[in-house]
Amino acid sequence: MPASEVDLLITGAGMAGLTAAARAVHDGLSVVVTDTATDVGGSARFAGYAWTAPSHDVMDAHNPDGDPALKRALVDRFADGIAWIRSIGVEAKDAQRILNFGQGHQFDTNHYVDTCRRLVLEAGGELLLATATERLVTEEGAVVGADLTSADGTHRRIRARHTLLATGGFQGDPGLRTTHVHPHADRMQLRSNPRSTGGGYRLATEAGAATSRDDAGFYGHLIPTGIPFADPADFVDMSLYYSEHALLLNLHGERCTDETLGDHLTAMALLDQPESRGLLIADARVFRDWIVGSYVEGAVAVDKFALASKRGGRVGLAADLDELAYLPEEWGYDGETVRNAVKLFNETATAEPVPGRKLDALPLDEPPYYVIETEPAITFPFHGIRIDDRARVLGADGQLIAGLLAAGSDTGGLWHRAYAGGLASALVFGLTAAETAAGKYLP
């Protein structure tokens, strides 16, 4: 088995891995990057914004149970991450508001990952695509590299001072999802690249890594039920972001969450409901102001209702409140119960509806009514490998596993049933991993 020696071996060529690789070669380190895919980029190719909470207070308010050190690192180092993007010639636009509390920057993620690849190769780094990392090599409790197998069956051992796991999470593995996310997590469509199947997670746990809590949840969005994603553009076009201003009723015609806190949180709540599906109901105001509008400034506006209808989703248009009682029987909802639930909400909206409506307490009283049956789709899990704020992997005994780093969606602990930017996390902790490998000890 041929062997090589490098400063940093990276498993995964997505946002976190390529960020680490480009920063590492910039700092003079020798780098090898591997990926099971035939191209770089992973799910980052489908994104477009790096954003997070603008302050520690805001982060703590929206993600109170996340790891304090990781939260602090993300907020403190985010500006440096944006500066890094710009420093390699990729435009990151001026800061703008994201969701109801975040702040971030739009940038061309395809340009970014392709630029990182170019920088790595120009610096003499090696990129091994269609290559599997079979196992980590350990000596006296430290990780000193990994054994690789290429598509043609060639085996190779690479020794490294540091090995970074950045394979993008395990959302592509239904078994890991049901074990670590939710017993019904296998029901969800995959709203990401399909190759993130837990490679990094398995390598780390086999090496004795600690993992975060199983009840941490996942990042995803509501989508129309029964419509398969046709291509990655659907990940945005079919996401029903406007749910923050609509009502979500489960199969029993009951609200189960404060929808206004965020579509990504509502997606987690719906997974817990009977059959993990429900009716998303909007009135003319919500349609006009939110369904056909841009989710964030600069994004292309898509009529989500028209698209769901065109693609064969369960959609309905009720001329008035009473027409909501005539839902198709085969959908499985009691129409009168649904109508009465909307009527009750309108009567209590300006008082104290249960659950509450913290960020949009207006009634839905402007007909017609737009109905889409919806279900959650997963982008990545919040459960993952435990790291410290320097991207160093923690062992089950609480001690560091020497030589082993992790970043991006392979990691856990940062988010707990809350979310404030996955691309930002991959960017910040990818840079952090490279600086740790270079011996730069961050505060």
Side-chain angles (χ1 to χ4, degrees), residues 13-14 35-42 45 110 114 117 127 129-130 195:
D35 201 295
T36 57
T38 57
D39 193 13
V40 302
R45 289 202 179 274
N110 286 282
D114 289 336
R117 168 173 53 187
L127 177 62
L129 297 176
R195 295 177 299 277

Side-chain angles (χ1 to χ4, degrees), residues 190-201:
L190 182 61
R191 189 180 174 272
S192 78
N193 85 83
R195 295 177 299 277
S196 292
T197 56
Y201 183 86

Side-chain angles (χ1 to χ4, degrees), residues 213-225:
R213 291 165 54 180
D214 282 345
D215 61 348
F218 65 95
Y219 171 60
H221 283 288
L222 297 179
I223 61 171
T225 57

Side-chain angles (χ1 to χ4, degrees), residues 170-185:
F170 58 74
Q171 60 272 11
D173 186 304
L176 286 176
R177 292 199 331 236
T178 56
T179 300
H180 298 294
V181 176
H182 192 280
H184 299 149

Side-chain angles (χ1 to χ4, degrees), residues 62 99-101 220-222 240-245 248 257-269 295 359 419:
H62 287 271
L99 297 183
N100 55 66
F101 67 92
H221 283 288
L222 297 179
L240 304 176
Y241 306 125
Y242 73 86
S243 74
E244 297 168 13
H245 304 276
L248 178 68
T257 189
D258 180 347
E259 303 92 340
T260 70
L261 298 180
D263 182 73
H264 56 293
L265 301 179
T266 302
M268 280 190 279
Y295 186 51
L359 301 177
Y419 175 74

Side-chain angles (χ1 to χ4, degrees), residues 4-164:
S4 308
E5 291 195 17
V6 295
D7 294 315
L8 179 61
L9 170 62
I10 301 170
T11 297
M15 183 71 183
L18 285 175
T19 294
R23 182 56 175 262
V25 298
H26 175 271
D27 291 339
L29 274 62
S30 56
V31 171
V32 171
V33 183
T34 76
D35 201 295
T36 57
T38 57
D39 193 13
V40 302
S43 295
R45 289 202 179 274
F46 315 138
Y49 294 82
W51 73 277
T52 194
S55 69
H56 297 302
D57 287 344
V58 173
M59 175 65 82
D60 289 342
H62 287 271
N63 182 28
D65 296 321
D67 181 280
L70 299 184
K71 292 191 297 184
R72 181 164 292 277
L74 178 57
V75 172
D76 287 346
R77 300 172 197 166
F78 178 66
D80 289 341
I82 299 302
W84 161 257
I85 291 173
R86 292 169 171 160
S87 76
I88 63 173
V90 177
E91 179 188 12
K93 295 185 178 180
D94 291 342
Q96 65 182 91
R97 188 173 179 85
I98 306 291
L99 297 183
N100 55 66
F101 67 92
Q103 182 171 292
H105 304 260
Q106 184 180 22
F107 70 109
D108 186 337
T109 53
N110 286 282
H111 184 200
Y112 177 76
V113 295
D114 289 336
T115 298
C116 287
R117 168 173 53 187
R118 175 177 59 78
L119 293 173
V120 171
L121 295 177
E122 287 179 352
E126 193 172 1
L127 177 62
L128 305 175
L129 297 176
T131 298
T133 301
E134 301 291 351
R135 65 191 61 83
L136 298 177
V137 178
T138 60
E139 293 178 0
E140 298 179 354
V143 173
V144 296
D147 290 335
L148 314 177
T149 301
S150 63
D152 64 5
T154 301
H155 299 286
R156 179 178 175 185
R157 172 168 291 183
I158 295 183
R159 296 182 64 85
R161 290 194 303 109
H162 287 89
T163 299
L164 170 63

Side-chain angles (χ1 to χ4, degrees), residues 201-436:
Y201 183 86
R202 291 186 179 89
L203 290 168
T205 54
E206 289 168 2
T211 59
S212 59
R213 291 165 54 180
D214 282 345
D215 61 348
F218 65 95
Y219 171 60
H221 283 288
L222 297 179
I223 61 171
T225 57
I227 304 177
F229 290 123
D231 59 56
D234 281 347
F235 295 163
V236 171
D237 290 350
M238 292 205 337
S239 292
L240 304 176
Y241 306 125
Y242 73 86
S243 74
E244 297 168 13
H245 304 276
L247 289 183
L248 178 68
L249 302 179
N250 66 15
L251 273 173
H252 302 310
E254 302 166 337
R255 291 179 60 224
C256 60
T257 189
D258 180 347
E259 303 92 340
T260 70
L261 298 180
D263 182 73
H264 56 293
L265 301 179
T266 302
M268 280 190 279
L270 185 55
L271 184 60
D272 281 331
Q273 297 304 301
E275 298 185 23
S276 301
R277 61 188 178 102
L279 297 180
L280 198 59
I281 301 175
D283 70 349
R285 171 185 67 86
V286 174
F287 178 83
R288 182 178 59 248
D289 295 346
W290 301 103
I291 293 181
V292 295
S294 297
Y295 186 51
V296 293
E297 182 182 347
V300 176
V302 175
D303 185 334
K304 307 284 187 176
F305 183 82
L307 179 60
S309 179
K310 179 181 178 181
R311 297 285 290 275
R314 284 181 168 177
V315 303
L317 183 63
D320 55 33
L321 196 59
D322 286 337
E323 273 200 13
L324 287 174
Y326 299 101
L327 291 169
E329 185 176 345
E330 63 270 20
W331 288 16
Y333 301 83
D334 182 79
E336 291 190 3
T337 300
V338 169
R339 177 199 58 195
N340 292 340
V342 178
K343 182 179 179 181
L344 176 63
F345 170 77
N346 287 341
E347 292 170 349
T348 61
T350 57
E352 293 292 336
V354 179
R357 295 274 289 185
K358 182 177 181 181
L359 301 177
D360 185 349
L362 294 175
L364 301 182
D365 56 4
E366 184 181 340
Y369 290 90
Y370 299 81
V371 181
I372 300 179
E373 188 183 53
T374 185
E375 63 186 357
I378 185 171
T379 303
F380 68 87
F382 295 153
H383 174 85
I385 306 162
R386 292 304 307 267
I387 59 171
D388 71 358
D389 64 353
R390 297 177 187 168
R392 300 176 298 186
V393 173
L394 299 171
D397 60 0
Q399 301 300 308
L400 296 173
I401 298 178
L404 188 59
L405 309 172
S409 298
D410 279 348
T411 66
L414 173 59
W415 311 118
H416 186 89
R417 304 197 72 81
Y419 175 74
L423 211 61
S425 171
L427 171 67
V428 164
F429 287 101
L431 292 172
T432 298
E435 295 189 349
T436 295

